[in-house]
Amino acid sequence: HEEKLLSSKSRELIAPKITPRAQAGIGFGGQSKNQNPKAWLAVEQAKVLKKEGVIRIDQVMSGHVADELREQILQQQVVAQTRTEDDPSTSRTYYGVENRRKNRCDLQLSLLQGGYAADNGGQVDEDEPHAVAEALQELLGTNGSLRMLYENLVTLQGEFYEFAALVTEPGSQRQTVHPDLPFNEVAPLYVVFIALQDVNFPMGPTSFLLRTHTKQKNEKFNIQSEKDQLLRKADTRFSTLKKGDAVVFDARILHCGNANEPADGSTRVLFNFSFRNPQVTGDLGYPGSIRPGYCGALTLGGIQEALDLYGAGDKNPFASYSDGLIQT
């Protein structure tokens, strides 16, 4: 029913064309009007995100880094499946919010070199590639493609709230339309999905209902007699992506993952993390997918400091945060 209501107006989500303005000259008091182009771009991207509830940003991650991270994630998915089949009580160690849906999971990641192999003090070759650190360096490091946008949205004090990979397989069913968390007047959480391979429509891209992150739209969505009309009139965009492309969204926006088709679909892997807005305190009503030992342990500033160490030659820069597991 929902799918029929949305499909008539559904279009592809396109990255906005943001053209840099010429900002040369000397301003009041002798200060240059020149602005860091990346800082200016982040401000403009944040404006689009706050207006629409979501923004597509192309090529935030290089192809070879996406390939390496995807390979590691799929290897770790096999490890997680084997370990949880042997001991179902360990499920929460590996899986987050989406751990009981058929052909769909949120695989909670480790920040350590070697990933799950380093769990509980496991030994890892010091020359082992660190796919997670490489990816985060491209995204949030000194010249990271998303660094300044997230600084603009949540400041350096923004809590690292989710850290996972969303994996869907052919046969994964379509989600119902939903926001990720209960409505709050201030945006509590900004989430990113990064495609680690091309995502076509049969693979079940996420659809976003533009400008539904407002109080008015949230109230209509929660009134059954008005919900259908809201969905029918919604400006819906599906996020088919190229490898390395991203969508960043306000967690209040209405969205849903589409079905990964049994015949024409294929494995879809999205790198997923989020940062919490420090202006919003208390329980968000949404736990997020992250290993429990990382909850409340890192901020955007802390991530950046660790990535500075990585850039300086530290091969395991998140070692002080351990594997994210809580020993009992």
Side-chain angles (χ1 to χ4, degrees):
H1 177 66
E2 284 186 351
E3 192 171 10
K4 289 181 180 179
L5 292 175
L6 296 174
S7 61
S8 62
K9 291 186 176 181
S10 186
R11 294 179 288 162
E12 184 179 21
L13 181 67
I14 302 296
K17 294 181 180 179
I18 301 174
T19 306
R21 294 190 297 255
Q23 294 187 341
I26 304 299
F28 178 77
Q31 294 181 345
S32 172
K33 292 182 180 179
N34 289 328
Q35 185 180 16
N36 181 326
K38 289 186 176 181
W40 177 85
L41 178 61
V43 170
E44 297 304 308
Q45 289 171 333
K47 288 179 182 177
V48 174
L49 173 52
K50 290 177 180 179
K51 176 184 176 183
E52 305 290 346
V54 61
I55 185 171
R56 172 176 174 162
I57 306 174
D58 290 342
Q59 295 304 289
V60 301
M61 184 186 293
S62 64
H64 75 276
V65 169
D67 289 341
E68 290 172 2
L69 182 58
R70 186 177 193 271
E71 181 180 5
Q72 184 186 76
I73 286 168
L74 292 178
Q75 289 172 348
Q76 295 194 138
Q77 184 186 25
V78 174
V79 172
Q81 182 175 353
T82 300
R83 291 181 181 176
T84 53
E85 285 176 353
D86 291 341
D87 182 1
S89 69
T90 64
S91 176
R92 188 66 181 89
T93 297
Y94 301 104
Y95 300 113
V97 177
E98 297 276 10
N99 72 332
R100 292 185 177 87
R101 294 180 186 269
K102 187 177 181 180
N103 299 318
R104 181 185 183 93
C105 74
D106 285 341
L107 192 68
Q108 297 178 154
L109 302 178
S110 169
L111 285 165
L112 295 184
Q113 182 184 27
Y116 294 166
D119 282 357
N120 301 308
Q123 295 300 305
V124 175
D125 189 320
E126 64 176 14
D127 293 323
E128 174 87 10
H130 200 331
V132 164
E134 282 291 316
L136 290 175
Q137 184 76 296
E138 287 199 346
L139 300 169
L140 300 173
T142 301
N143 296 308
S145 54
L146 299 178
R147 177 180 179 131
M148 289 192 175
L149 174 59
Y150 266 108
E151 286 186 13
N152 183 289
L153 295 172
V154 302
T155 76
L156 294 178
Q157 285 69 52
E159 178 189 338
F160 194 47
Y161 197 78
E162 294 173 286
F163 184 55
L166 173 59
V167 183
T168 66
E169 305 285 353
S172 171
Q173 296 183 352
R174 179 185 175 277
Q175 292 179 309
T176 57
V177 174
H178 65 281
D180 276 344
L181 36 68
F183 185 78
N184 192 299
E185 290 284 358
V186 178
L189 199 66
Y190 289 101
V191 185
V192 63
F193 289 162
I194 299 152
L196 300 186
Q197 71 292 297
D198 292 355
V199 177
N200 59 27
F201 199 81
M203 294 167 72
T206 305
S207 288
F208 296 92
L209 284 60
L210 300 190
R211 298 176 293 281
T212 57
H213 56 306
T214 65
K215 182 178 181 180
Q216 179 190 37
K217 295 297 174 65
N218 182 267
E219 289 176 346
K220 285 190 174 184
F221 181 72
N222 288 316
I223 299 173
Q224 193 59 43
S225 60
E226 298 188 32
K227 180 178 178 179
D228 283 1
Q229 184 182 32
L230 171 66
L231 298 179
R232 187 180 297 110
K233 291 184 175 182
D235 187 355
T236 303
R237 307 296 176 94
F238 52 85
S239 55
T240 43
L241 302 168
K242 294 296 185 182
K243 180 167 60 178
D245 293 349
V247 287
V248 184
F249 61 97
D250 180 329
R252 299 174 298 178
I253 193 172
L254 297 177
H255 63 283
C256 64
N258 289 289
N260 196 326
E261 298 176 8
D264 299 323
S266 58
T267 301
R268 178 182 68 134
V269 183
L270 303 178
F271 187 38
N272 164 222
F273 58 83
S274 67
F275 286 93
R276 176 177 175 152
N277 187 343
Q279 295 180 31
V280 180
T281 60
D283 184 6
L284 296 186
Y286 172 70
S289 294
I290 190 168
R291 286 190 146 189
Y294 295 145
C295 291
L298 293 101
T299 62
L300 177 58
I303 293 283
Q304 291 179 0
E305 288 174 3
L307 293 173
D308 287 343
L309 294 175
Y310 185 68
D314 186 338
K315 295 182 179 180
N316 201 14
F318 297 100
S320 63
Y321 297 102
S322 190
D323 54 21
L325 303 178
I326 295 177
Q327 304 299 326
T328 56

